[in-house]
Each structure stands twice: as C-alpha cells, then as structure tokens.
Amino acid sequence: MTVALLAQSQTLQTSASQAGGLWRRDAAAANADTDTPSENSEIRDSLSATLEALRNAPETARQAAQNRARERVEAVREQLKLVKPLYAENPEGMAKALRHLVKELNTALKAYKDAGGDAAQLSGGLTRAPAPASAKTTASDATEAPADPERSEGDATPAVPAQEPTAPVKDHPAPVIEPGRYDTLAPAAPAPSREGLEARKGGLKGDEDFVNKVDGLTRKIRELFETAKIKAAFQARDSDRADAFEALEDDLGELEDDVFDYKRDVQDALISVDLQTKLLERSPSATSALAITV
C-alpha cells in the first residue's frame, strides 16, 4: 500500500513538472508574439524623432528668441502711433514716452543679436592667429658696462669696458620648431555649398528686414523728438523737461549707433555671400578663397 502511494506521488510530481515546462514555453512564445515588427518600427521612429528634436533644439530656440524680438518691435510700432496725439502739447511727457520706446527697441535689437543672427554666424575662412612673441633678449637690450670707479670725473676719455676672453665655438643642435607655432594664418574653413549659401542668404535677408524696421522706427522717434524740442522752445524753461530731453538724447544716440553698426554688418555679410555664390558659379573648387570673416 505504501509503495503504491509513493509511486502515485512520483507520477503526480512528474506530470506537474512537465505542465510547468509547457506553461513557461507557452508564455515565452506569447511574449515573443507580442513584439511585432510594427511595434519595433514605432520605437525606432520615436527615437529618431527625439534625436532630431535634440539636434534642432538650438535652432528652434534661436528662431523663438528672434520671433519674440520681432513681436516687440511691432508692439513699439503700435505704441508710437499714440505718442503724438497724446503728448502734442506736453514736450516733457513726449520725451519720457519716446525714451520708453527707445529702451524697448534697444532691448529687442540686443535680444535679436544675442540669439545669433545669420550675420553673426557667417562662416569664416582665413582668421588671423596671434603673432609669435619676439625674442626676450636682443643685442640692443644689452646693458651698458659700469664706469671705472678709478677714473677721475674730469677725464673726457670714454671708458673702454674690459673684454672677456671668447669661448671656443661649439656645435649647437638645430633648433626644434614646434609645428604651427609661427603660422600667421589659421587653416581655411571648408568651402560652403550652393545650398548652404542660399540658406545663409535667406537668413541674412531676414536680418536685414528686422534691422530696417528698427531703423525706421528709430528715425520716427528722432523726428518726434525734434518736434518736442521746437514745442519746448516756446515754453518756459523747466529743469525736469531738460533732464528728460538729455536722457532721451543719450539713449536715442546709443540706439542709433547700434542700429548703424548692425545694419552695416548685415550688408557686409550679404556682399560676402553674393561674392562666394558668384565665385562658386565660375569655379566650384575656388569658393574657399572668398570664405572670409566679415
């Protein structure tokens, strides 16, 4: 009886072990079936999109900052329309309102340039490297020999310094010149492609449009400021008004200088791109000759 029970127990254990093995194989097969090719493709697409977004993040941030600067300029344009009717008889109030708009334009221009406009990103080719340092000691730097203390002060004959015996000439090894130490020009940048030049020119046109808008508003502010000065000439002298005029003159002059400099940089960059494009049309291999820093 006991032997029969033991045999039956072993049979049950063997059946259970076989059933467990079949269950594990079925589960593994089910998991393998769930990992379909379509899901693998979706994962690859998601990873590719994430990597592409990371690569484009700097450019996206740059464009967003420049768009905010453009919106700020448009807001100044709308506010400027209200200044003249509101402060036609109040030169001091007009000066203060115009100074506020000047600060807004200055902030917008600085934000646009800090974002990295295409004029600032023009690829450079030949850039000057720092000149090598001159020798620390030259023949002209030799110190004069001290005067002979035994000679009398009234003796006009110049003292002759004592000459040391010359040492025998020895053979010296050739100096070791470090590679690139005395180079005056850095290596040229790779020649730009036609597509790259076209993209750069499009970006520079956007920069030119932006700075032209800022320049136009700056000129309009200057006109209104001159009108306020004429109006104030027929009124009693006022120290507060004089201070407002002086503050506006300082800020407006600084803005005019910044606009002039950036406008010149954009125009120079456009000329450089045009020259590179023309040279590329003539000789595709000679474009690097004009890949210069503006």
Side-chain angles (χ1 to χ4, degrees):
M1 183 68 177
T2 304
V3 174
L5 289 175
L6 289 174
Q8 185 177 4
S9 175
Q10 291 177 355
T11 302
L12 291 175
Q13 290 178 358
T14 302
S15 300
S17 177
Q18 293 176 351
L22 291 174
W23 179 85
R24 284 192 294 271
R25 286 196 298 271
D26 292 340
N31 291 334
D33 291 340
T34 58
D35 193 10
T36 61
S38 61
E39 292 181 352
N40 289 336
S41 177
E42 292 177 358
I43 293 174
R44 285 195 298 270
D45 294 343
S46 177
L47 290 176
S48 299
T50 302
L51 292 175
E52 185 69 18
L54 291 175
R55 280 193 294 267
N56 296 333
E59 178 64 18
T60 303
R62 181 178 76 89
Q63 293 180 358
Q66 290 183 344
N67 288 337
R68 288 193 296 269
R70 292 188 180 96
E71 292 173 358
R72 201 162 197 157
V73 171
E74 292 303 319
V76 170
R77 184 188 303 278
E78 296 301 319
Q79 295 176 37
L80 191 58
K81 297 177 182 178
L82 305 175
V83 171
K84 188 174 182 178
L86 285 176
Y87 302 100
E89 302 299 328
N90 184 2
E92 180 183 348
M94 178 176 288
K96 292 180 178 179
L98 292 177
R99 188 187 180 200
H100 168 73
L101 298 182
V102 165
K103 289 183 177 180
E104 288 292 305
L105 286 179
N106 203 2
T107 301
L109 181 62
K110 185 177 184 302
Y112 190 93
K113 292 192 296 183
D114 290 345
D118 285 83
Q121 296 178 351
L122 186 63
S123 60
L126 299 178
T127 54
R128 290 284 175 183
S134 58
K136 295 182 179 179
T137 306
T138 61
S140 61
D141 296 330
T143 57
E144 298 180 356
D148 189 354
E150 297 181 358
R151 297 184 60 85
S152 61
E153 296 180 357
D155 192 352
T157 305
V160 179
Q163 297 182 354
E164 298 181 359
T166 58
V169 179
K170 298 181 180 180
D171 294 334
H172 296 281
V176 178
I177 300 177
E178 300 177 4
R181 182 176 180 180
Y182 298 100
D183 293 344
T184 57
L185 291 177
S193 63
R194 184 185 300 274
E195 293 77 10
L197 289 173
E198 291 177 354
R200 180 58 53 79
K201 186 173 183 178
L204 288 171
K205 286 294 185 181
D207 295 346
E208 185 180 41
D209 177 70
F210 173 81
V211 73
N212 284 339
K213 289 180 179 179
V214 177
D215 186 32
L217 292 175
T218 303
R219 294 175 185 274
K220 183 64 176 176
I221 290 175
R222 172 62 72 179
E223 293 175 2
L224 291 176
F225 185 25
E226 296 301 324
T227 302
K229 289 180 180 179
I230 296 173
K231 188 71 176 179
F234 296 95
Q235 297 179 357
R237 181 175 178 80
D238 184 87
S239 59
D240 292 337
R241 185 178 64 229
D243 292 341
F245 279 13
E246 183 179 359
L248 174 58
E249 183 64 46
D250 292 341
D251 291 346
L252 183 56
E254 180 181 352
L255 176 61
E256 289 171 337
D257 292 341
D258 292 341
V259 170
F260 176 82
D261 292 341
Y262 189 60
K263 192 173 184 178
R264 179 195 56 199
D265 292 342
V266 172
Q267 291 173 350
D268 289 346
L270 278 170
I271 292 173
S272 178
V273 170
D274 288 339
L275 291 175
Q276 292 181 60
T277 303
K278 292 297 182 182
L279 188 60
L280 183 62
E281 293 175 355
R282 284 186 169 186
S283 176
S285 61
T287 316
S288 59
L290 281 180
I292 60 176
T293 302
V294 177

